[in-house]
């Protein structure tokens, strides 16, 4: 795999000629918002097919996969966005087939676009629909995620039961709700029983716990809660989400209630939420700067075995109005929208070498300056390579609700997706 950064005068046709790959392959792999409107500084992914086949009359995905010795999932991953029509050339293998296994966890809301979900699921090992909640008495609040579970099953993707301490709509992660639960053994037992029953009836293959913004003093109680829930749902594995911190001294309010050592022992796996340095309330900066991600991962590895860790990767960016003013929220946007915005406003994309993240500035129609930070093939390559370098269990994406086709091509080139 190669990643080409667009220079003045580049076109996809010229890239196809220079790299000796079919133009159709560049279009399919990158699925650009506007292929005729490239942006200086934009990243293009290039992969080299090794073996191919042509779709003949009567061929199906199953028959092609069987004849080539591939799974249908692998065939779909090697040909993202394909319509699989007669006469089409399909990639069976690439020159750079990965060998290091990697689990891929993805989060999605129940209202995710079904077509987007279907294109994404072949790359996802476990899907975690977001989210079941609970009340002050320990009663489980249902989540209508049957559509996600059915779609996942159709692609051979496991589903996880996701439980969080989100309060009522718009209230965010509720520390009082969690504190009350930790102090009430009867409510805990009621919740454990309902989680175990719902997980069994719904065909979930694991439980994903995401309690955030906890009181620092509740850290030991939270670890006991995770351990007790793990015992209640056995033999299902339990994963717990960890807010990022590189030390206890610099832990944010969202991370102070997460004891990495205790939670690493209590759960089967952890998701290291290594993102949100740049967020809607912060000054302009990278969402997941690689230098900070490395620090957080190093701290996690001091407390948790590598084979238990999923490294979290963000699938979004932010658009800040300049000058930055506290209290004025940045606009969230997809990575594809960011590139389209740069093209629309004739802005060149830059790349921060320390954060290993793309960014640009532009002027809106009212003459107001903006700064945008987002993810591209180069930034996600750095994070995936970091996970592989340390032998982590996998990577986890928050979230799948926005398209990012290039990411999946990069992921498929670097890791052998389980």
């Amino acid at each position: 795999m190669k990643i080409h950064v667009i220079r003045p005068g580049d076109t996809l046709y010229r890239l196809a000629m220079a790299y000796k790959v079919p133009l159709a392959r560049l279009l399919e792999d990158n699925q650009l918002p506007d292929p005729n409107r490239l942006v200086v500084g934009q990243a293009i992914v290039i992969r080299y097919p090794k073996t191919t086949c042509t779709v003949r009359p009567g061929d199906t995905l199953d028959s092609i996969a069987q004849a080539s010795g591939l799974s249908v999932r692998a065939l779909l991953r090697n040909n993202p966005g394909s319509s699989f029509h007669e006469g089409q050339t399909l990639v069976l293998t690439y020159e750079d087939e990965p060998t290091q296994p990697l689990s891929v966890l993805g989060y999605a809301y129940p209202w995710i676009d079904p077509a987007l979900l279907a294109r994404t699921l072949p790359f996802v090992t476990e899907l975690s629909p977001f989210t079941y909640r609970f009340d002050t008495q320990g009663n489980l609040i249902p989540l209508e995620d049957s559509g996600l579970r059915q779609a996942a099953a159709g692609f051979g993707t496991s589903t996880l039961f996701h439980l969080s301490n989100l309060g009522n709509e718009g209230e965010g992660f509720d520390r009082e709700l969690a504190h009350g639960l930790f102090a009430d053994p009867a409510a805990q037992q009621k919740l454990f029983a309902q989680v175990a029953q719902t997980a069994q009836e719904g065909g979930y293959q694991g439980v994903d716990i995401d309690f955030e913004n906890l009181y620092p003093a509740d850290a030991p109680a939270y670890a006991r809660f995770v351990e007790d829930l793990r015992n209640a749902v056995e033999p299902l594995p339990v994963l717990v989400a960890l807010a990022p911190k590189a030390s206890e001294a610099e832990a944010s309010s969202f991370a102070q209630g997460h004891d990495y050592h205790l939670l690493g022992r209590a759960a089967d796996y952890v998701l290291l939420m290594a993102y949100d340095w740049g967020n809607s309330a912060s000054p302009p900066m990278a969402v997941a700067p690689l230098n900070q991600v490395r620090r957080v991962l190093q701290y996690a590895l001091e407390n948790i075995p590598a084979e238990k860790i999923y490294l979290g990767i963000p699938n979004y960016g932010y658009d800040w109005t300049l000058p930055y003013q506290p209290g004025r929220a940045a606009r969230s946007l997809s990575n594809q929208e960011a590139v389209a915005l740069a093209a629309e406003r004739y802005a060149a994309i830059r790349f921060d070498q320390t954060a290993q993240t793309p960014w640009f500035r532009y002027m809106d129609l009212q003459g107001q300056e903006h700064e945008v930070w987002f993810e591209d093939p180069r930034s996600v390559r750095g994070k995936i390579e970091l996970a592989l370098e340390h032998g982590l269990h996998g990577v986890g994406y928050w979230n799948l609700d926005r398209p990012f086709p290039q990411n999946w091509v990069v992921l498929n080139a670097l890791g052998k997706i389980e």
Side-chain angles (χ1 to χ4, degrees):
M1 177 188 71
K2 294 181 179 178
I3 296 178
H4 177 91
V5 179
I6 295 297
R7 298 183 292 258
D10 280 346
T11 66
L12 285 184
Y13 176 76
R14 289 178 179 174
L15 293 186
M17 297 293 290
Y19 286 99
K20 297 180 173 56
V21 293
L23 176 59
R25 174 56 42 192
L26 285 181
L27 291 167
E28 186 172 311
D29 283 348
N30 291 276
Q31 297 180 45
L32 305 176
D34 185 351
N36 297 313
R37 203 172 182 185
L38 301 181
V39 180
V40 172
Q42 179 181 1
I44 303 296
V45 184
I46 300 160
R47 292 200 72 189
Y48 292 93
K50 183 178 181 180
T51 59
T52 61
C53 75
T54 302
V55 180
R56 299 168 300 184
D59 279 346
T60 65
L61 278 174
D62 287 329
S63 67
I64 296 171
Q66 185 175 7
S68 58
L70 297 172
S71 67
V72 171
R73 281 171 61 91
L75 187 60
L76 290 169
R77 287 197 298 266
N78 288 345
N79 299 275
S82 293
S83 56
F84 295 98
H85 55 269
E86 183 180 332
Q88 181 182 11
T89 298
L90 300 180
V91 176
L92 302 179
T93 61
Y94 285 95
E95 296 286 352
D96 55 347
E97 288 290 319
T99 58
Q100 190 170 343
L102 196 69
S103 287
V104 181
L105 170 65
Y107 292 86
Y109 286 97
W111 50 82
I112 184 174
D113 175 50
L116 173 60
L117 181 63
R119 292 195 301 271
T120 307
L121 282 173
F123 299 91
V124 178
T125 311
E126 299 109 353
L127 175 69
S128 194
F130 192 85
T131 177
Y132 281 88
R133 299 182 295 120
F134 58 92
D135 64 19
T136 55
Q137 286 76 48
N139 295 303
L140 191 65
I141 298 174
L143 174 69
E144 180 42 62
D145 65 347
S146 58
L148 271 66
R149 286 184 279 123
Q150 291 171 6
F155 285 93
T157 298
S158 301
T159 49
L160 304 183
F161 179 104
H162 190 276
L163 179 69
S164 75
N165 65 320
L166 279 181
N168 294 326
E169 292 298 323
E171 292 184 2
F173 291 94
D174 190 335
R175 56 173 53 184
E176 281 294 335
L177 178 65
H179 179 74
L181 181 67
F182 299 153
D184 189 341
Q188 288 187 50
Q189 292 304 314
K190 181 189 296 185
L191 182 61
F192 293 162
Q194 292 182 36
V195 170
Q197 180 179 354
T198 305
Q200 180 181 26
E201 293 175 350
Y204 296 93
Q205 284 83 40
V207 175
D208 185 348
I209 308 171
D210 181 13
F211 284 24
E212 301 181 33
N213 194 35
L214 304 177
Y215 288 114
D218 277 339
Y222 181 39
R224 288 193 297 271
F225 172 85
V226 171
E227 185 173 6
D228 291 343
L229 179 55
R230 182 186 183 189
N231 291 332
V233 300
E234 195 178 11
L236 295 181
V238 168
L239 177 145
V240 63
L242 302 180
K245 55 183 172 181
S247 69
E248 292 304 321
E250 62 181 73
S252 68
S253 61
F254 270 69
Q256 289 173 346
H258 291 172
D259 186 310
Y260 279 22
H261 180 69
L262 293 179
L263 290 171
R265 288 195 309 177
D268 296 285
Y269 302 100
V270 303
L271 170 72
L272 195 59
M273 297 186 290
Y275 38 78
D276 263 9
W277 278 267
N279 58 67
S280 62
S282 76
M285 67 179 75
V287 174
L290 191 62
N291 57 320
Q292 297 295 346
V293 173
R294 284 185 180 276
R295 294 180 66 237
V296 169
L297 177 57
Q298 185 56 50
Y299 180 67
L301 289 169
E302 293 169 5
N303 292 275
I304 305 167
E307 61 270 17
K308 279 191 168 190
I309 300 175
Y310 290 83
L311 181 64
I313 298 176
N315 181 28
Y316 55 91
Y318 285 104
D319 178 348
W320 286 268
T321 301
L322 299 180
Y324 168 72
Q325 295 180 10
R328 182 167 62 184
R331 178 175 70 94
S332 177
L333 75 173
S334 76
N335 301 308
Q336 277 195 319
E337 287 174 324
V339 175
L341 179 60
E344 177 188 333
R345 305 311 304 164
Y346 300 96
I349 295 171
R350 310 179 201 180
F351 194 77
D352 187 284
Q353 293 299 328
T354 301
Q356 288 290 294
T357 306
W359 67 283
F360 63 91
R361 287 182 181 156
Y362 73 95
M363 301 291 288
D364 66 22
L365 295 176
Q366 287 72 45
Q368 185 73 54
E369 190 175 19
H370 292 247
E371 185 167 313
V372 178
W373 290 78
F374 63 106
E375 302 291 328
D376 77 352
R378 295 167 290 179
S379 64
V380 295
R381 177 178 62 184
K383 297 173 180 64
I384 296 166
E385 288 179 340
L386 184 63
L388 294 169
E389 172 190 342
H390 290 280
L392 304 188
H393 182 74
V395 294
Y397 287 89
W398 179 263
N399 56 49
L400 306 181
D401 290 59
R402 289 168 166 169
F404 189 12
Q406 291 175 313
N407 165 78
W408 306 113
V409 176
V410 172
L411 178 69
N412 194 43
L414 295 177
K416 186 176 181 181
I417 300 171
E418 296 186 324

